[in-house]
Amino acid sequence: MKSYLPLRSKKGSFSIHIHKKTLLYTVICLLLGVAVTVVSLGMGEMNIPPLDVLKVFLGMGSEQDALIVAQFRLPRVVIAILVGAALGAAGAILQGIVRNPLAAPDILGITGGASVAAVAFLLYFESASIQWLPPVAFAGATLTTFILYALAWKKGVTPLRLVLIGVGIRIAASALITVLIMFSPFILQNKASLWLTGSIYGVDWNDAKMIGPWVIGLIALAALLARRVNVQQLGDEVATSVGSLVQFDRFALLIICAALTGAAVSVGGEISFVALLAPHIAKMLVGPSFGGALPISALIGSLILLIADLIARTAFSPIDIPVGVFTSAVGAPFFIYLLYKNRNR
């Protein structure tokens, strides 16, 4: 137990053990996140030194710097953090319950389901308020999860069937999105295509307020179920023998994963591979335990999207490249590497 740090309430009614390595990497990721955030807030068409960015947060910056940082750049940075955390956590949840290193919401079709619903909303409900997009995307992700679970059910749901059915749903969702775009007006086609690439361009504080409570609350809820995921990783028979409600826990975690995916997709579009990359990096740092991998995956997901968005905004200025282009450029080779690594399994 020397590698764990015990935390107990004064009356002893609450007790938790935190792995010291997990705590160390959590602090490191938080510090890196703060550093990247400060750099990102300062870079753009008008560069602001990091010290001046910090002065803005301390209330000592100039009015011009405060306007640029707080009103124009900070909402986008906050959205990148929230969307990245949601995708990273969703990927950790899926890989934990499916026990497959290739599992991710975008690969299993959950992101595709959210995208179908969101694209249909953008194309055919143009006059409706954009505030309805997050619940629509969440509904699409949840419905897809129900279909995925129902089709994979055969005296229970096994991880292998879940993956195979999920890949099929992903292909079907992509085909349906193509059909929707083909039979829509040209102007709306461009809008939907840009959204599908994955972009957080044009977000504001309303978007952050809309998904922030969902992302934070759902990640906290998943953390409460960490022990159940750790038991499931030993196999369904072992988990059942120790009293775990395997099917109920798996379904509940899938719903949490769908909700996180829907929240991310509703604001950021179909940003690929973050949910695949973040959990793998987290496991390399803190090991396979879900309790440690979940928060690190969320933090790394935020870091990946922060860095990708920084590059997207500044590399080809004044052109703003969709952030999904950069996550796909890194994620696709990594996915091929995973396929090669696991080819004999």
Side-chain angles (χ1 to χ4, degrees):
M1 297 295 289
K2 290 183 179 180
S3 58
Y4 287 86
L5 180 67
L7 295 177
R8 296 185 180 89
S9 61
K10 291 182 179 179
K11 296 182 179 180
S13 58
F14 174 80
S15 176
I16 186 172
H17 288 79
I18 301 177
H19 199 283
K20 291 181 180 179
K21 183 185 287 188
T22 300
L23 183 61
L24 173 63
Y25 281 112
T26 298
V27 172
I28 291 173
C29 288
L30 284 171
L31 292 175
L32 285 173
V34 170
V36 175
T37 296
V38 171
V39 171
S40 183
L41 289 172
M43 292 185 68
E45 292 187 14
M46 178 179 175
N47 290 323
I48 302 173
L51 186 58
D52 290 343
V53 172
L54 294 175
K55 285 181 179 179
V56 170
F57 287 103
L58 295 173
M60 298 185 296
S62 66
E63 290 186 7
Q64 182 179 358
D65 289 349
L67 178 65
I68 293 172
V69 170
Q71 296 300 320
F72 297 146
R73 294 179 184 172
L74 188 57
R76 183 163 174 167
V77 167
V78 171
I79 287 295
I81 292 171
L82 290 172
V83 171
L87 292 174
I93 291 170
L94 265 187
Q95 290 183 17
I97 61 178
V98 173
R99 303 196 298 274
N100 189 313
L102 301 177
D106 45 336
I107 295 171
L108 265 64
I110 297 174
T111 300
S115 299
V116 169
V119 167
F121 177 82
L122 291 172
L123 295 178
Y124 300 109
F125 297 91
E126 188 181 6
S127 60
S129 172
I130 198 67
Q131 298 293 326
W132 285 100
L133 186 57
V136 167
F138 168 68
T142 304
L143 178 60
T144 304
T145 302
F146 276 111
I147 295 172
L148 170 63
Y149 205 81
L151 293 176
W153 181 273
K154 186 179 180 182
K155 297 180 180 179
V157 173
T158 63
L160 178 60
R161 280 205 303 272
L162 210 58
V163 171
L164 293 176
I165 297 296
V167 171
I169 290 176
R170 175 178 177 270
I171 295 171
S174 297
L176 185 54
I177 290 171
T178 301
V179 172
L180 288 172
I181 292 176
M182 285 178 60
F183 290 96
S184 62
F186 180 73
I187 296 177
L188 295 179
Q189 287 181 11
N190 290 338
K191 182 179 180 181
S193 298
L194 177 63
W195 184 87
L196 283 170
T197 306
S199 175
I200 54 176
Y201 174 79
V203 296
D204 55 29
W205 283 116
N206 289 326
D207 296 308
K209 293 175 183 177
M210 199 162 41
I211 70 168
W214 286 98
V215 173
I216 296 170
L218 289 166
I219 292 176
L221 183 58
L224 293 175
L225 299 174
R227 291 183 180 180
R228 302 184 185 186
V229 179
N230 287 335
V231 172
Q232 284 193 26
Q233 289 177 344
L234 300 174
D236 290 3
E237 292 183 2
V238 174
T240 302
S241 68
V242 297
S244 177
L245 301 174
V246 174
Q247 299 304 330
F248 175 82
D249 292 344
R250 187 169 290 157
F251 183 71
L253 286 160
L254 275 174
I255 294 298
I256 294 173
C257 175
L260 285 168
T261 303
V265 167
S266 67
V267 174
E270 195 169 320
I271 299 173
S272 301
F273 294 112
V274 174
L276 180 71
L277 282 166
H280 278 279
I281 297 173
K283 289 173 185 175
M284 285 191 288
L285 295 176
V286 299
S289 174
F290 182 74
L294 177 67
I296 301 299
S297 295
L299 291 171
I300 290 175
S302 295
L303 270 173
I304 291 173
L305 210 56
L306 275 172
I307 294 170
D309 183 57
L310 176 60
I311 297 172
R313 285 194 301 108
T314 60
F316 302 97
S317 182
I319 300 174
D320 199 318
I321 306 297
V323 69
V325 172
F326 293 97
T327 59
S328 296
V330 175
F334 184 76
F335 182 65
I336 294 171
Y337 164 74
L338 287 178
L339 286 173
Y340 177 79
K341 184 179 178 181
N342 293 274
R343 67 191 187 280
N344 295 323
R345 293 189 180 183

